[in-house]
Amino acid sequence: MSANPDLAAERKFLAKANDRLETMRESAREMMELALASPRGGTHQARAERDVIVRHSLARLEQLEIGDQALSFGGIDYDAELGRVASFHIGRLAVADEDMEPLVVDWRAPVAEPFYRATGKDPMGLTRRRHFALENRDVASIEDELFSAEGFAEGSWDSGEPKLAGPGSLFAAVARARTGRMADIVSTIQAQQDEIIRAPLSGMLVVQGGPGTGKTAVALHRAAYLLYTYRRRLERQGVLVVAPNRIFARYIDHVLPSLGETGVQIMTVNGLAGFGEARIAETDAEARLKGDLRMATFIAKAIKDRERPLKRTAEIVMGAFVVRVTPGDSAEAVRAAQHRSGTHNQRRRFVEALLAVKIAEKYLAAKKIGSTGNADAGSQFDEQKFNILDSTSVDEKQVKKELAQKVKRLPEFQFLVQRIWPKLTPQVLLSDLFSHLPLIHLAGKEILSETETRLLHRPTRFEDDINQWSSSDLVLLNEASIILGSYRNKNEDPDGERGYGHIIMDEAQDLSPMAARMIGRYSLSGSMTLVGDVAQATSPFGRRTWHDIVAPLAKSDPVHLVELEVNYRTPQEVMDVAGGLLKEFAPELKPATSIRKSGEFVEIIIPGREDLFESLAKVVSAERDKVDPGTVAVIVPADDKHLYVERLSQAGLEFSSSGEASVSVLSIHEAKGLEFDSVVIAGANRLLSAATLNPQALFVAMTRTTKRLVIVHNNDVPDVIVDLILKQK
């Protein structure tokens, strides 16, 4: 960027704004310290007011914390003829001077919208848009875009397609070395992205975006915008971001705090299910079946199958009497309970009450006529209290009520109720169900085929460790938990799980229908943002339309689909090859337009006689040196990852599997959504040669890079890849 005569003035202004921000932080700290120093005790109102002040001060300090980020990243000048304030500085949060005049305007405020949206065709009243190039929170240089009634003036960038706002700042941000953590894009948001960020809260917004379009960053900035715009509502109801895995969740967890929002909850799909992480693998066939919406009906039927009347009469010994509970008695209780609202475990108490009263009635009737039923007279059942039945002053209703309560405490009675209407946890239900083929047949009748029935069967019940579940199992456990309810809590919320005012789901194209159904349950009003790319679908469900993906989620509000069309990250050299592959397996999909070149062609390296892993280690070390201080990802087939980790360690390569180190070894699924300065694709015989069967996986792997792409193989590469690479040269 060229030198600007305003540089010194802008530096001075930013220093003033930073000083004022520190004053605001100090004021919040003083308020909190004053409240904490106030005398303990006092009235309830005084204690409540002190707690409110402390919570408010802590929240304010969190909002004012921007870390090592610059406060302001640019500004806008309005046409004076419009009769409004001439200029505003745009920044991460609002800062005012001592007279409460704005120094910096929050980027989410309506007045800041032209900073992101203005174009030569529609300047939105601006005469100038200014971007700062920042170093160590200070202004290093200035980039100005000038507007006029005729369009962009000299010094602006308006040649070719697509049109970009602040191209110098944008390209500098894209070229910056990656750190293993996503950075915010608040200073370089483009017009199309801003429209999505500022879309209304209501309804479901689906964002289709190819690799490098910034869809994840857009979704996170949308969360920050919605919290700013609908603060009172969403602070009460909450905002949830659902990540596809823990690596991705760590990758994005710094973005919202850098934007002043710390109250957003980030969870994985597995974490949202609420039963820990997956600990066993599953086949694609198992995942497809367990992710099918029919499983909701199957689970409900399996629970109903456990609500069963007695097949033969049971006996309860009560002192000198034997009370018989017939199949008819139990069937009456089961029918009555099944017609009541509430969860399975809640309604068990109703079954207990009905049967206890029935037994009490039979006992009292037997006592009146003196029929012992040949019971053991030595029973410990205490009849002393009920020997006054001959008295005319006895309240029989009260006696029956007290007797029913005593019956409930009998071990024999609890055993009987457990046979009729067992108290269940989701883990016990699924463990019993999957380990008994007859139970699967019973629950799956007219729902599952014989092949599907056997696919669900696990020969042994895993009693030693009841937490051995796959990812799909975790979603089924969540489904069961909604129907079963709490195992212990007598005062549980009948509505079950907590809900959120807005939910954001990334990599939504890989959601199973059952996972989508689960996420939908957590939405209070159907307000959701889904982002993903159908061309990058690598789940067992294959490539589906967005209509199919959102069907289990959609409520009454309409679904609004928008598409991001510009690839800011992936170099044109890589997209020439990846886009060519896209045309082979999904010709109906148009790849996003890449706006930059790296000058680095895609490379194919053949180890020759050298050991594959030793050669791979050398290639990765060389790539690390080329992109230092950036990051390198070695992307390998998931089934072989353990082998690559072992052999690359033996070859002396230092790396991690977290996505945060200078070198990371990751599977396709772990790498999805992440970005690296260089990507090395390995495992030709398992990944590349299978690309014709699952080309989406290769497409995902190739598009993780911002600069360089190297393919290392010891087998044939698909012809289409070879041809596309040769065309580059």
Side-chain angles (χ1 to χ4, degrees):
M1 302 177 193
S2 59
N4 190 295
D6 295 336
L7 182 59
E10 292 290 11
R11 285 175 171 170
K12 183 177 180 181
F13 180 88
L14 188 56
K16 177 182 178 181
N18 282 326
D19 289 344
R20 183 59 186 159
L21 175 61
E22 183 55 39
T23 300
M24 293 165 63
R25 282 197 288 257
E26 184 59 32
S27 176
R29 281 192 291 267
E30 288 178 356
M31 182 179 293
M32 181 178 66
E33 290 169 359
L34 184 63
L36 291 173
S38 62
R40 298 293 178 182
T43 64
H44 174 74
Q45 180 177 347
R47 293 194 300 271
E49 289 176 351
R50 181 174 63 238
D51 291 344
V52 168
I53 293 173
V54 171
R55 286 197 302 269
H56 174 78
S57 299
L58 286 171
R60 183 63 174 156
L61 285 170
E62 285 184 340
Q63 291 173 351
L64 296 176
E65 179 56 55
I66 61 173
D68 59 357
Q69 304 292 328
L71 172 59
S72 176
F73 43 78
I76 50 177
D77 293 348
Y78 278 96
D79 189 337
E81 295 182 1
L82 295 179
R84 63 189 306 172
V85 177
S87 63
F88 295 96
H89 281 79
I90 311 300
R92 295 178 176 277
L93 47 84
V95 175
D97 63 16
E98 296 82 352
D99 299 322
M100 301 309 294
E101 291 296 323
L103 292 174
V104 178
V105 174
D106 193 298
W107 67 275
R108 297 167 286 188
V111 73
E113 187 173 330
F115 181 78
Y116 302 108
R117 299 273 192 95
T119 65
K121 190 174 182 179
D122 180 14
M124 300 179 71
L126 298 188
T127 58
R128 183 177 66 181
R129 172 168 53 207
R130 170 167 286 182
H131 283 83
F132 299 148
L134 299 157
E135 292 181 5
N136 300 321
R137 302 183 66 182
D138 199 4
V139 182
S141 60
I142 296 172
E143 176 187 22
D144 283 339
E145 298 167 273
L146 306 177
F147 298 86
S148 69
E150 292 76 25
F152 282 96
E154 183 179 355
S156 66
W157 190 91
D158 191 30
S159 58
E161 292 288 345
K163 303 296 188 296
L164 302 176
S169 298
L170 174 63
F171 288 134
V174 172
R176 193 173 297 126
R178 268 44 191 175
T179 64
R181 292 295 185 98
M182 175 179 277
D184 64 65
I185 62 168
V186 65
S187 63
T188 58
I189 294 170
Q190 298 299 300
Q192 190 181 39
Q193 296 172 327
D194 190 66
E195 290 178 18
I196 295 170
I197 290 170
R198 297 176 192 266
L201 173 65
S202 61
M204 182 181 297
L205 178 66
V206 177
V207 183
Q208 159 65 33
T213 54
K215 55 186 176 293
T216 297
V218 166
L220 295 173
H221 286 67
R222 173 163 168 75
Y225 169 79
L226 292 176
L227 279 165
Y228 174 86
T229 307
Y230 306 94
R231 177 76 63 187
R232 182 173 298 180
R233 173 178 171 181
L234 291 182
E235 279 195 339
R236 182 179 70 254
Q237 297 179 343
V239 174
L240 172 68
V241 175
V242 183
N245 55 58
R246 286 183 291 178
I247 292 176
F248 189 89
R250 286 196 300 270
Y251 176 63
I252 66 173
D253 66 5
H254 284 186
V255 175
L256 285 163
S258 76
L259 298 174
E261 300 296 346
T262 58
V264 176
Q265 190 163 4
I266 300 177
M267 300 182 72
T268 64
V269 176
N270 289 350
L272 186 63
F275 294 90
E277 287 298 321
R279 297 172 65 179
I280 61 174
E282 60 191 350
T283 66
D284 284 355
E286 290 173 326
R288 278 193 297 270
L289 175 57
K290 292 178 181 179
D292 193 297
L293 280 179
R294 290 177 296 157
M295 294 303 292
T297 306
F298 173 76
I299 293 296
K301 179 63 166 54
I303 294 173
K304 191 172 183 179
D305 290 340
R306 303 295 294 271
E307 303 164 356
R308 56 200 177 203
L310 296 171
K311 291 184 177 181
R312 58 181 67 89
T313 298
E315 296 182 345
I316 300 289
V317 177
M318 300 175 65
F321 295 87
V322 173
V323 176
R324 292 178 175 83
V325 181
T326 68
D329 295 332
S330 62
E332 182 181 344
V334 167
R335 282 195 302 270
Q338 287 179 338
H339 282 87
R340 290 178 67 90
S341 61
T343 65
H344 169 89
N345 288 333
Q346 279 180 322
R347 290 178 290 149
R348 175 194 161 101
R349 295 193 296 275
F350 184 68
V351 174
E352 285 183 351
L354 288 179
L355 289 176
V357 169
K358 177 68 70 174
I359 291 171
E361 290 173 346
K362 289 190 175 186
Y363 171 82
L364 294 175
K367 191 172 179 65
K368 282 184 178 181
I369 63 176
S371 173
T372 65
N374 299 320
D376 178 9
S379 170
Q380 295 182 359
F381 184 79
D382 183 10
E383 296 180 332
Q384 295 294 323
K385 183 172 182 179
F386 306 106
N387 285 335
I388 57 174
L389 287 176
D390 294 335
S391 171
T392 57
S393 64
V394 171
D395 184 344
E396 291 194 26
K397 288 185 178 180
Q398 183 63 28
V399 169
K400 183 168 65 174
K401 180 179 178 181
E402 293 179 8
L403 180 56
Q405 292 299 319
K406 189 174 183 67
V407 168
K408 289 181 183 180
R409 293 192 289 271
L410 292 174
E412 304 98 305
F413 176 78
Q414 288 298 321
F415 178 76
L416 176 66
V417 175
Q418 188 69 9
R419 287 170 56 193
I420 297 169
W421 195 289
K423 186 180 289 187
L424 295 168
T425 66
Q427 297 96 321
V428 168
L429 173 77
L430 259 64
S431 176
D432 285 344
L433 179 61
F434 289 161
S435 60
H436 293 86
L437 196 57
L439 291 180
I440 302 175
H441 273 292
L442 183 63
K445 186 178 180 181
E446 298 181 356
I447 300 173
L448 305 177
S449 69
E450 180 62 27
T451 300
E452 291 172 328
T453 297
R454 295 192 175 278
L455 191 60
L456 291 178
H457 183 227
R458 296 179 186 174
T460 58
R461 188 175 186 272
F462 30 101
E463 293 176 340
D464 293 337
D465 189 347
I466 206 164
N467 295 312
Q468 294 288 332
W469 306 106
S470 68
S471 291
S472 298
D473 290 334
L474 297 176
V475 176
L476 297 183
L477 288 169
N478 183 275
E479 180 75 24
S481 73
I482 300 301
I483 304 174
L484 291 175
S486 172
Y487 185 78
R488 296 184 179 87
N489 186 5
K490 294 182 178 180
N491 300 310
E492 65 177 335
D493 178 3
D495 295 328
E497 303 292 340
R498 146 171 201 185
Y500 294 87
H502 191 77
I503 296 177
I504 292 173
M505 176 65 208
D506 206 344
E507 300 295 340
Q509 76 279 352
D510 285 331
L511 280 178
S512 73
M514 283 299 293
R517 173 184 168 89
M518 177 186 73
I519 293 170
R521 279 198 295 268
Y522 290 85
S523 174
L524 293 173
S525 61
S527 176
M528 304 180 72
T529 301
L530 273 68
V531 298
D533 180 15
V534 293
Q536 296 185 67
T538 58
S539 74
F541 301 93
R543 186 160 45 83
R544 299 166 289 168
T545 67
W546 278 112
H547 179 271
D548 295 332
I549 295 167
V550 305
L553 286 162
K555 296 190 177 181
S556 57
D557 290 330
V559 176
H560 184 47
L561 174 64
V562 295
E563 184 171 1
L564 291 169
E565 300 170 335
V566 180
N567 184 336
Y568 304 98
R569 177 186 71 214
T570 315
Q572 184 64 56
E573 295 87 345
V574 173
M575 281 309 299
D576 286 343
V577 179
L581 183 65
L582 182 65
K583 290 179 183 179
E584 287 290 319
F585 72 82
E588 74 280 8
L589 297 178
K590 180 183 177 182
T593 302
S594 185
I595 61 169
R596 53 185 286 270
K597 293 185 177 182
S598 65
E600 304 277 358
F601 291 120
V602 179
E603 294 184 43
I604 291 182
I605 296 179
I606 304 173
R609 294 185 178 182
E610 189 176 19
D611 178 78
L612 169 65
F613 299 98
E614 291 182 1
S615 177
L616 179 59
K618 292 179 181 179
V619 170
V620 174
S621 296
E623 289 299 308
R624 180 182 56 201
D625 294 339
K626 290 176 182 177
V627 299
D628 185 65
T631 58
V632 180
V634 185
I635 302 180
V636 302
D639 292 344
D640 292 340
K641 182 184 172 184
H642 66 285
L643 175 62
Y644 279 88
V645 168
E646 178 183 347
R647 295 294 299 277
L648 289 175
S649 295
Q650 293 174 357
L653 182 69
E654 294 183 0
F655 60 89
S656 81
S657 294
S658 67
E660 299 178 46
S662 59
V663 176
S664 296
V665 177
L666 303 167
S667 70
I668 291 290
H669 298 290
E670 292 170 334
K672 184 175 287 188
L674 311 185
E675 56 185 36
F676 305 89
D677 296 271
S678 177
V679 167
V680 179
I681 299 176
N685 57 340
R686 292 296 303 275
L687 177 61
L688 298 183
S689 63
T692 53
L693 300 176
N694 186 17
Q696 296 96 318
L698 181 54
F699 181 74
V700 171
M702 295 174 72
T703 54
R704 298 307 91 207
T705 182
T706 64
K707 296 174 183 175
R708 294 179 50 79
L709 174 62
V710 179
I711 300 172
V712 178
H713 76 99
N714 61 352
N715 206 333
D716 291 336
V717 177
D719 291 340
V720 61
I721 301 298
V722 175
D723 292 343
L724 290 167
I725 293 176
L726 289 176
K727 284 181 181 178
Q728 287 190 323
K729 304 188 177 182

